[in-house]
Amino acid sequence: MKHLLSAKDLTHDEAVMVLDTAEAMAATQSRAVKKLPTLRGKTVVNLFFEDSTRTRLSFEAAAKRLSADVINFSAKGSSLSKGESLKDTAQTIMAMGADAVVVRHSACGAAHLLAHAGWINVPVLNAGDGTHQHPTQALLDAMTLRRWYVPGAPDTADGSPAPQGRDLEGARVIIVGDVLHSRVARSNVDLMTALGAEVTLVAPPTLLPIGMENWPCEVSYNLDEAIERVRPDAVMMLRVQRERMSAAGGGFFPSPAEYSSVYGLNSARRRAMPEHAIVMHPGPMNRGLEITAEAADDPRSRIIEQVGNGVSVRMAALYLLLADEGNQL
């Protein structure tokens, strides 16, 4: 692969290679000098057509720690507001000497179009396209779980770097909430099942997409029943994407209070989970809606750790696609 567009595109071995490389990158970040010379002279363009804080800053930090130059492009206040097309924007960026493009866009398939339309000839990394895919988020989630999941002996996990080559064989993951609008859910189902995990999606019927029959996961409408039956190693809460719901006319659940009472992660549900199970969330969180403050700040919460792992994963992806010995993805 010359691009990173979808978690579904990654084979088992490729995913493990990215995760192993991310662990190697993470090891360098404990040094006094965190910067590596690996991508010196390269230019990475962050092309963001949707608002973002975590993902954009994470890609920027990753590129800079590999000594690449970074150009940040935001649709707001740009020529896009004057009617410039994606093609013209892409070709303008190429004329500036970009060596890789990180793109986030509200349209599903935008990253694939950018990579394959013939407008540019550099690696494209998908930082989220509509409700479709967000591969680096799935990889950082897998990295987090891999550190805390020990097959057969979950209580011995201490969050240390995972051994080289480890996958998620046998891990049980519950993903809860707004699956309909979530590129994170889709990417995690694809990647975690490829790594051997068993995934269960939990959501009200109104927040599940049509045509899930071919998804390699189970579906439940009852969070309490799923926790008791699955005995998960991790529970990932999804952000309720109210901005997309408003654009679609709303009406996906009766009220925030009812959603929270039925599908929110609270202290009682956290206590019902196995003691070793970790709590995850891709962020940003709606505290008090899909997750309470107590659950978000629980000792088993790995939400902040996910953010740190995101930098390591994105360093790995940029390295594997851009280093002189790159194009290994």
Side-chain angles (χ1 to χ4, degrees), residues 111-231:
H112 186 275
L113 178 65
L114 198 60
H116 296 292
W119 305 333
I120 62 177
N121 59 355
V122 298
V124 173
L125 293 88
N126 185 3
D129 60 331
T131 60
H132 179 229
Q133 281 282 329
H134 196 350
T136 56
Q137 178 68 47
L139 284 161
L140 73 88
D141 292 337
M143 179 180 180
T144 305
L145 178 56
R146 199 169 77 141
R147 286 184 161 198
W148 288 98
Y149 172 65
V150 177
D155 293 323
T156 66
D158 60 2
S160 355
Q164 295 284 297
R166 177 188 287 176
D167 59 15
L168 297 175
E169 189 66 39
R172 298 179 299 277
V173 182
I174 294 178
I175 301 176
V176 188
D178 185 4
V179 178
L180 177 65
H181 301 106
S182 179
R183 52 196 172 208
V184 174
R186 288 166 172 79
S187 298
N188 269 293
V189 168
D190 291 336
L191 183 69
M192 290 197 176
T193 54
L195 289 170
E198 301 168 8
V199 179
T200 299
L201 298 178
V202 180
T206 53
L207 288 177
L208 289 169
I210 296 171
M212 293 187 62
E213 297 79 13
N214 296 324
W215 288 32
C217 62
E218 292 187 9
V219 175
S220 172
Y221 308 121
N222 188 314
L223 178 54
D224 295 312
E225 181 276 332
I227 290 174
E228 182 179 357
R229 174 176 53 84
V230 174
R231 307 301 296 161

Side-chain angles (χ1 to χ4, degrees), residues 8 20 102 128 144 167-168 212 312 327:
K8 188 175 286 188
D20 286 348
V102 178
T144 305
D167 59 15
L168 297 175
M212 293 187 62
S312 300
N327 285 335

Side-chain angles (χ1 to χ4, degrees), residues 31-320:
R31 302 173 183 170
V33 178
K34 296 179 173 59
K35 209 163 189 180
L36 304 174
T38 315
L39 298 184
R40 184 176 294 155
K42 303 285 188 182
T43 299
V44 176
V45 176
N46 286 330
L47 186 59
F48 277 63
F49 296 86
E50 271 191 330
D51 290 338
S52 169
T53 300
R54 287 166 177 75
T55 304
R56 181 181 60 79
L57 291 177
S58 182
F59 268 111
E60 182 175 357
K64 287 181 175 179
R65 289 182 189 179
L66 292 171
S67 299
D69 296 316
V70 179
I71 298 174
N72 288 316
F73 176 96
S74 173
K76 288 185 177 179
S78 73
S79 294
L80 289 170
S81 60
K82 304 172 187 176
E84 184 172 69
S85 68
L86 176 61
K87 177 180 179 180
D88 291 334
T89 300
Q91 291 180 328
T92 298
I93 287 168
M94 282 304 299
M96 295 177 182
D99 295 293
V101 175
V102 178
V103 60
R104 169 172 283 203
H105 202 284
S106 61
C108 299
H112 186 275
L113 178 65
L114 198 60
H116 296 292
W119 305 333
I120 62 177
N121 59 355
V122 298
V124 173
L125 293 88
N126 185 3
D129 60 331
T131 60
H132 179 229
Q133 281 282 329
H134 196 350
T136 56
Q137 178 68 47
L139 284 161
L140 73 88
D141 292 337
M143 179 180 180
T144 305
L145 178 56
R146 199 169 77 141
R147 286 184 161 198
W148 288 98
Y149 172 65
V150 177
D155 293 323
T156 66
D158 60 2
S160 355
Q164 295 284 297
R166 177 188 287 176
D167 59 15
L168 297 175
E169 189 66 39
R172 298 179 299 277
V173 182
I174 294 178
I175 301 176
V176 188
D178 185 4
V179 178
L180 177 65
H181 301 106
S182 179
R183 52 196 172 208
V184 174
R186 288 166 172 79
S187 298
N188 269 293
V189 168
D190 291 336
L191 183 69
M192 290 197 176
T193 54
L195 289 170
E198 301 168 8
V199 179
T200 299
L201 298 178
V202 180
T206 53
L207 288 177
L208 289 169
I210 296 171
M212 293 187 62
E213 297 79 13
N214 296 324
W215 288 32
C217 62
E218 292 187 9
V219 175
S220 172
Y221 308 121
N222 188 314
L223 178 54
D224 295 312
E225 181 276 332
I227 290 174
E228 182 179 357
R229 174 176 53 84
V230 174
R231 307 301 296 161
D233 298 294
V235 174
M236 181 186 300
M237 307 307 296
L238 300 172
R239 181 174 69 88
V240 175
Q241 299 190 38
R242 288 179 284 192
E243 72 281 6
R244 297 189 194 273
M245 294 179 189
S246 298
F252 290 90
F253 47 82
S255 70
E258 182 165 337
Y259 179 89
S260 183
S261 69
V262 179
Y263 292 100
L265 184 63
N266 52 31
S267 297
R269 291 191 173 111
R270 170 64 192 95
R271 289 192 299 270
M273 292 162 52
E275 187 58 34
H276 72 274
I278 63 173
V279 175
M280 302 172 71
H281 193 301
M285 292 181 284
N286 294 308
R287 287 180 181 242
L289 184 54
E290 70 263 5
I291 189 168
T292 64
E294 293 80 10
D297 299 330
D298 187 271
R300 298 297 297 182
S301 172
R302 298 293 166 250
I303 296 169
I304 297 301
E305 187 177 323
Q306 288 173 264
V307 177
N309 289 342
V311 176
S312 300
V313 159
R314 285 154 184 149
M315 288 175 71
L318 288 167
Y319 167 77
L320 291 170

Side-chain angles (χ1 to χ4, degrees), residues 2-43:
K2 294 186 177 180
H3 310 283
L4 181 54
L5 305 177
S6 169
K8 188 175 286 188
D9 293 339
L10 293 170
T11 66
H12 173 279
D13 290 347
E14 287 172 337
V16 170
M17 177 180 66
V18 177
L19 295 174
D20 286 348
T21 306
E23 290 288 6
M25 294 297 176
T28 68
Q29 299 308 292
S30 59
R31 302 173 183 170
V33 178
K34 296 179 173 59
K35 209 163 189 180
L36 304 174
T38 315
L39 298 184
R40 184 176 294 155
K42 303 285 188 182
T43 299

